[in-house]
Amino acid sequence: VDESELLTVPDGWKEPAFTREDNPKGLLEESSFATLFPKYREAYLRECWPLVQKALGEQYVNATLDLIEGSMTVTTTKKTFDPYAIIRARDLIKLLARSVPFEQVLRILQDDIACDIIKIGSLVTKRDTFVKRRERLLGPKGSTLKALELLTNCYIMVQGNTVSALGPFSGLKEVRKVVLDTMKNIHPIYNIKTLMIKRELSKDPELRSQSWERFLPKFKRKNLKKRKEPKKTNTKKEYTPFPPPQPESQIDKELASGEYFLKERQKKRKQVQEIKAKQADAVKRRQEERNKAFIPPKEKTVVKTKKASTEKKIDIEAIKEKVKNAKKKKLGALPEEEVKLKMAADEKKKKKK
């Protein structure tokens, strides 16, 4: 098909609003919707209910708040001309019941804004896992949720077992995908990266009619859980068509050993002999255990050291020389040569003076 023949929607085009001229006679039947709200929302709804009635009054829709039953009801009137106004009013009270503030809820009355309430309570069986994945959707200090809001142009409210989203139709589709993937253990950062790339690609007019698959990242799951091996493994035996042999009875054993034909007195005598033999073995074992304490331990073998030979050759001549030298020296006095040298040095000193 030639591209010139295709119809194109200009940028910024909006469908004209539905006015009374489109439906001057109004609606024939009265429609109503009701929803329950939790107890903790009662105080907030009581404060903002006059503003809700005023906003819905412009659409000619009545709103009633029943604090006894804990319900909100919206109904059409004879002046209501827009048939879709009651659907918007139904979504408005549903969002108010899910803790969405009134300032954001008021946007649902616009033509290009819709809402989506995603139930996440039944997607995960374990409570601890559910809480962890819900916190993962919020991110540290709500950063992940804020990034998702900026990329999809939607207001997202995570409350209890539901996620309420409010914004354009294209954004709601992305929000639902991200929320469901998060509860299936796929981190929201992967989807956020994909949305960021799509946002940049949409700015290029040449790429609008092309496939974006080559630009989008492909993430592979790496954290595959290994199957735990069972502690006990049942090994199947080989199949045989023949039944197992019948176990021998006590009589068969006695017949094989010959005990069956013994007399009663002989049987008793044999039993007594077996008991005595067992007792003798027990006594022998007990005696061996007692005798272990009286067995001396093995002594270590002492290595005999070789005695140093005391016999030494005595040099008699050397001893005689030492004795002679000792006699020449006087105890406490200097030798003669040293005394002469000292006296000569003293005389030299006197001459010089």
Side-chain angles (χ1 to χ4, degrees):
V1 181
D2 190 9
E3 291 184 2
S4 60
E5 296 178 5
L6 296 173
L7 292 173
T8 56
V9 179
D11 293 335
W13 180 84
K14 286 186 179 181
E15 193 174 347
F18 194 87
T19 58
R20 182 170 284 280
E21 295 175 0
D22 298 322
N23 186 16
K25 294 183 180 180
L27 304 176
L28 296 174
E29 295 292 333
E30 183 183 299
S31 302
S32 64
F33 289 100
T35 186
L36 299 173
F37 60 86
K39 185 71 176 175
Y40 63 86
R41 290 291 289 169
E42 184 178 329
Y44 181 79
L45 290 173
R46 196 184 297 174
E47 289 179 5
C48 70
W49 197 250
L51 300 171
V52 174
Q53 286 180 325
K54 184 181 177 182
L56 292 176
E58 295 174 1
Q59 303 286 328
Y60 301 102
V61 177
N62 287 336
T64 55
L65 177 67
D66 193 344
L67 296 174
I68 297 168
E69 291 183 0
S71 65
M72 293 179 283
T73 311
V74 287
T75 55
T76 57
T77 60
K78 291 181 179 180
K79 292 183 180 180
T80 307
F81 60 90
D82 188 358
Y84 200 74
I86 188 65
I87 303 297
R88 292 197 190 110
R90 178 201 65 183
D91 293 342
L92 186 142
I93 59 175
K94 275 186 179 181
L95 292 169
L96 282 172
R98 295 312 311 152
S99 300
V100 180
F102 174 74
E103 292 80 8
Q104 294 291 337
V105 169
L106 204 60
R107 292 171 56 201
I108 197 67
L109 300 176
Q110 300 173 17
D111 290 338
D112 55 345
I113 299 295
C115 74
D116 189 9
I117 297 173
I118 308 159
K119 294 180 180 179
I120 58 174
S122 59
L123 297 176
V124 184
T125 52
K126 291 184 180 179
R127 184 67 184 173
D128 295 339
T129 311
F130 169 74
V131 172
K132 283 180 183 177
R133 291 181 186 176
R134 188 177 62 180
E135 286 178 359
R136 192 181 296 167
L137 184 63
L138 293 169
K141 298 181 181 179
S143 58
T144 306
L145 196 68
K146 188 67 180 175
L148 199 60
E149 286 180 350
L150 291 170
L151 289 168
T152 57
N153 296 322
C154 295
Y155 175 82
I156 305 167
M157 182 72 185
V158 182
Q159 178 71 20
N161 295 331
T162 59
V163 177
S164 305
L166 182 71
F169 293 97
S170 59
L172 293 175
K173 186 180 177 182
E174 297 293 342
V175 169
R176 176 171 277 274
K177 183 180 179 298
V178 173
V179 171
L180 294 179
D181 283 352
T182 305
M183 302 314 290
K184 290 176 185 174
N185 203 19
I186 298 171
H187 204 281
I189 193 66
Y190 300 130
N191 287 310
I192 287 171
K193 283 183 179 178
T194 307
L195 288 172
M196 289 171 71
I197 293 167
K198 283 182 179 179
R199 189 177 185 180
E200 294 299 320
L201 291 171
S202 62
K203 293 177 182 178
D204 191 350
E206 294 180 1
L207 295 171
R208 286 185 181 180
S209 58
Q210 297 179 14
S211 177
W212 293 349
E213 287 295 325
R214 65 181 188 274
F215 301 110
L216 299 178
K218 293 177 182 178
F219 301 104
K220 293 181 181 179
R221 294 186 70 178
K222 294 181 181 179
N223 54 343
L224 298 173
K225 290 184 179 179
K226 292 182 180 179
R227 182 178 174 272
K228 291 182 180 178
E229 295 182 358
K231 290 181 180 178
K232 294 181 180 179
T233 54
N234 298 326
T235 55
K236 289 186 177 180
K237 296 178 181 178
E238 293 182 4
Y239 173 73
T240 53
F242 306 104
Q246 190 175 0
E248 291 184 349
S249 64
Q250 189 67 24
I251 296 170
D252 293 336
K253 291 177 182 178
E254 288 179 358
L255 285 168
S257 62
E259 293 178 17
Y260 186 78
F261 303 103
L262 295 174
K263 291 181 181 179
E264 192 69 30
R265 193 182 294 172
Q266 289 174 331
K267 286 182 181 179
K268 284 184 179 178
R269 195 185 304 155
K270 191 176 181 182
Q271 286 177 357
V272 169
Q273 286 175 357
E274 288 176 355
I275 291 166
K276 283 183 178 179
K278 285 182 181 179
Q279 286 176 349
D281 290 340
V283 170
K284 189 178 178 182
R285 266 188 266 109
R286 213 177 298 126
Q287 194 65 34
E288 287 176 357
E289 289 290 329
R290 288 174 184 168
N291 291 338
K292 280 182 182 178
F294 300 103
I295 297 170
K298 291 182 179 180
E299 295 181 356
K300 293 180 180 179
T301 56
V302 179
V303 180
K304 293 181 179 179
T305 56
K306 292 181 179 180
K307 293 182 179 179
S309 59
T310 54
E311 297 177 357
K312 288 183 180 180
K313 293 180 180 180
I314 301 167
D315 194 357
I316 298 167
E317 295 295 330
I319 293 167
K320 286 179 180 180
E321 286 291 328
K322 285 181 181 180
V323 172
K324 285 180 182 180
N325 292 331
K327 284 180 180 179
K328 288 178 182 179
K329 292 179 182 181
K330 292 180 181 180
L331 293 172
L334 293 171
E336 293 177 359
E337 293 177 358
E338 289 183 11
V339 171
K340 287 177 181 179
L341 290 170
K342 197 172 184 183
M343 288 173 69
D346 291 338
E347 286 176 2
K348 285 179 181 180
K349 286 181 181 178
K350 287 178 181 179
K351 287 178 181 180
K352 286 179 180 180
K353 290 179 181 179

